[in-house]
Amino acid sequence: MASATSGTTANALLLPCSTVGKLGRTITTTFGRKSFSLLSLSPELVYRCGRRWKNVASARKLIVRAARTESKGVSLGSRAPNFELEEPLTGNMWTLDDFEAYPALLVMFICNHCPFVKHLKKDIVKLTNFYMKKGLGVVAISSNSEITHPQDGPSFMAEDARLFNYPFPYLYDRTQDVAKDYGAVCTPEFYLFKKDGRRPFELVYHGQFDDSRPSNNVSVTGRDLSLAIDLVLSGQPIPPNQKPSVGCSIKWHPKGNV
């Protein structure tokens, strides 16, 4: 009897954990009815399978949290929507008119917690520092709900701006109306506008930072956005074939909450 049991257990080790789990549940039910079974799963086997089930569940959670959202098509040539938003770090209010004197304006929708934004934060600071010295206007906006994601709320935004030494104002879109006006759906999402004299800001680039993503082993270069900024600051046209930005979805307020 002992050899038959150990042989069955050895064979069970070759089975997928899903099958072993089903066998284990069958045995429990069988014993509950006071029936007899030759199959006996060792505690080690059950533990090892339990660890695998737990790891699979954790991996599924990570996949959900890192679900990708692509920026949607916004018509190139469209005007920059106005905004009036507070900067949590200073308490100052900013509007689109505050950037009127700049020949080009970069509007970025970002947030604190998104892994796609975290992946680029330091390089966003480097890129904007470089181009702001060349005359580029830059503003960042977070539209995520502090109801569902308190880590993206104003006080944490101020901490983030201070920690990374953002050279641009980082504004909070509490009502999420500005994100809707711009057609923003993900973080990060980049809008580059040009300005000719007194004409309104006109959208010329709505694409990605570069090809790098968290865990895809592609180095962060900022190539796509840098090329677009170089072209707009030198008065050259930007090709309309632009790769969409990819990131976390904007976290909208639950229905009935603002």
Side-chain angles (χ1 to χ4, degrees):
M1 181 68 71
S3 61
T5 303
S6 60
T8 306
T9 303
N11 290 333
L13 287 171
L14 301 177
L15 295 173
C17 278
S18 58
T19 303
V20 174
K22 291 176 182 177
L23 289 172
R25 285 192 292 273
T26 302
I27 289 167
T28 302
T29 304
T30 303
F31 284 142
R33 294 175 181 173
K34 297 182 180 180
S35 299
F36 182 74
S37 173
L38 290 177
L39 180 59
S40 174
L41 300 184
S42 70
E44 179 186 2
L45 176 59
V46 174
Y47 171 75
R48 284 162 60 186
C49 286
R51 287 292 299 274
R52 284 178 60 185
W53 291 327
K54 184 176 181 181
N55 291 340
V56 169
S58 298
R60 285 174 179 167
K61 288 181 181 178
L62 287 175
I63 291 171
V64 171
R65 288 174 184 168
R68 299 183 173 196
T69 299
E70 286 191 357
S71 57
K72 295 181 178 179
V74 177
S75 299
L76 296 179
S78 59
R79 294 183 177 184
N82 196 16
F83 57 81
E84 184 175 358
L85 300 172
E86 183 178 3
E87 180 184 13
L89 180 63
T90 63
N92 294 334
M93 298 296 294
W94 289 78
T95 70
L96 183 64
D97 289 341
D98 291 318
F99 300 92
E100 185 74 16
Y102 292 91
L105 173 65
L106 175 63
V107 178
M108 305 179 291
F109 285 85
I110 64 173
C111 69
N112 294 352
H113 88 278
C114 173
F116 291 88
V117 176
K118 286 183 174 181
H119 180 64
L120 300 177
K121 275 183 184 179
K122 291 181 180 179
D123 292 276
I124 286 174
V125 170
K126 289 179 185 177
L127 182 145
T128 52
N129 264 320
F130 178 77
Y131 283 107
M132 286 173 74
K133 293 174 183 176
K134 292 191 170 189
L136 178 69
V138 181
V139 61
I141 299 171
S142 175
S143 299
N144 277 2
S145 172
E146 63 178 322
I147 299 171
T148 61
H149 290 71
Q151 68 269 44
D152 287 336
S155 60
F156 292 102
M157 288 176 59
E159 289 181 15
D160 219 47
R162 190 179 295 110
L163 176 64
F164 288 91
N165 197 24
Y166 285 165
F168 45 78
Y170 184 25
L171 315 181
Y172 187 48
D173 178 19
R174 189 180 301 274
T175 64
Q176 303 184 322
D177 288 340
V178 175
K180 293 173 184 176
D181 289 344
Y182 276 76
V185 295
C186 65
T187 57
E189 189 161 355
F190 304 96
Y191 297 79
L192 180 62
F193 298 89
K194 74 171 184 178
K195 197 169 191 309
D196 292 326
R198 295 192 176 186
R199 296 181 63 185
F201 280 112
E202 177 184 313
L203 184 66
V204 291
Y205 182 79
H206 180 227
Q208 66 176 8
F209 193 77
D210 57 24
D211 288 324
S212 184
R213 307 285 185 263
S215 75
N216 76 349
N217 296 320
V218 175
S219 298
V220 179
T221 62
R223 180 182 178 277
D224 295 59
L225 184 56
S226 294
L227 177 60
I229 296 172
D230 283 333
L231 290 173
V232 75
L233 290 180
S234 61
Q236 300 179 61
I238 299 176
N241 186 20
Q242 303 166 5
K243 292 183 180 179
S245 186
V246 175
C248 305
S249 63
I250 287 180
K251 310 309 178 189
W252 304 106
H253 292 312
K255 290 184 178 180
N257 291 275
V258 177

